[in-house]
Amino acid sequence: DFLFFWGAVFLVTTTLVAFLKKENQELIPAKEETKGITDTYRLLFSIIKMPAVLTFCLLILTSKVGFSAADAVTGLKLVEEGVPKEHLALLAVPMVPLQIILPLLISKYTAGPQPLNTFYKAMPFRLLLGLEFAFLVWWAPKVKQEGGFPVYYYAVVVLSYALHQITLYSMYVAIMAFNAKVSDPLIGGTYMTLLNTVSNLGGNWPSTVALWLVDPLTVKECAGAQGHSCATAAASEV
């Protein structure tokens, strides 16, 4: 029902924009050089060949490996340990105001000549929070009661997620500020899109690999079946 309602809202509002919003017919001279598709890809290739850009791409493609498992798997493992999905979804609500305020606060520190300093400073704290998330998963069955989980457990989870959001947005805003700073104004859109795409890819591929590795790296024991292995998914089902 929730998805159906918002799907309908999106369809209606988008349709209204399509029919009611009129484009400004005055020709505004573009600040950027407009190129065809072939020229744009040639330009992207020439940008990515630059030694500084290659080094930076290598940095942002590998920088999120250390906390990919914590980011991608923690929620799923908490559900596996018995934390209701609805409760985890509700815990995201207090994060919304924080997610709105954080970029405004962090932008003060990333507006200077060295925006990546904020990125580097947030990195060790985000790595430590990965250990804290592992502790939350380990702690879940210890505090579970017949009626569910105690309030103090949820309070610790909310606090953990809030701290995680601070480190996440510190790194995100810093990267965005750096990309905006180094992009050539003549081809700013193309330049920034390239760097932001690589940055997004740097966050997505480690999470995908982490999720793929969950089963092979999870130790399972079979109860009531002597000498039977539960190492594979098929064996576990048997």
Side-chain angles (χ1 to χ4, degrees):
D1 290 345
F2 178 83
L3 291 173
F4 180 81
F5 172 78
W6 285 110
V9 170
F10 287 143
L11 280 171
V12 170
T13 51
T14 308
T15 306
L16 287 173
V17 169
F19 284 107
L20 301 179
K21 175 65 180 163
K22 301 299 178 188
E23 293 290 344
N24 189 352
Q25 296 301 320
E26 293 178 17
L27 293 173
I28 302 168
K31 292 181 181 178
E32 296 179 9
E33 292 180 359
T34 52
K35 295 177 179 288
I37 293 173
T38 310
D39 289 337
T40 302
Y41 275 99
R42 280 191 191 132
L43 182 63
L44 286 171
F45 187 66
S46 64
I47 292 168
I48 212 160
K49 281 196 301 183
M50 294 162 64
V53 174
L54 272 175
T55 305
F56 180 62
C57 287
L58 186 64
L59 165 76
I60 55 179
L61 277 172
T62 56
S63 62
K64 296 176 183 174
V65 171
F67 31 78
S68 58
D71 288 4
V73 184
T74 301
L76 299 172
K77 283 293 175 185
L78 287 175
V79 170
E80 194 177 284
E81 294 296 346
V83 179
K85 282 182 281 190
E86 312 85 68
H87 292 182
L88 278 180
L90 281 172
L91 293 181
V93 175
M95 298 299 112
V96 175
L98 191 66
Q99 289 166 349
I100 295 168
I101 295 164
L102 277 173
L104 297 172
L105 297 176
I106 296 163
S107 61
K108 294 177 183 177
Y109 301 97
T110 57
Q114 296 178 313
L116 280 186
N117 281 353
T118 307
F119 181 93
Y120 296 137
K121 286 174 183 174
M123 174 77 79
F125 294 103
R126 193 166 173 188
L127 288 168
L128 285 170
L129 280 168
L131 295 174
E132 208 265 337
F133 279 4
F135 168 76
L136 284 177
V137 174
W138 173 84
W139 192 33
K142 313 284 183 192
V143 296
K144 189 177 180 182
Q145 301 167 350
E146 284 188 16
F149 289 84
V151 175
Y152 66 81
Y153 181 77
Y154 287 117
V156 173
V157 172
V158 168
L159 180 62
S160 302
Y161 271 104
L163 293 172
H164 176 259
Q165 290 296 311
I166 293 170
T167 58
L168 186 151
Y169 274 86
S170 295
M171 296 178 74
Y172 175 75
V173 174
I175 283 286
M176 293 292 286
F178 181 80
N179 291 348
K181 199 170 189 64
V182 300
S183 297
D184 186 340
L186 277 177
I187 48 167
T190 307
Y191 212 126
M192 271 201 75
T193 302
L194 172 66
L195 295 179
N196 289 337
T197 301
V198 175
S199 180
N200 290 335
L201 184 62
N204 290 334
W205 81 261
S207 295
T208 305
V209 173
L211 287 167
W212 181 72
L213 287 172
V214 168
D215 261 357
L217 294 178
T218 299
V219 178
K220 299 178 188 132
E221 294 177 5
C222 295
Q226 293 295 329
H228 186 70
S229 169
C230 289
T232 63
S236 186
E237 281 181 24
V238 172

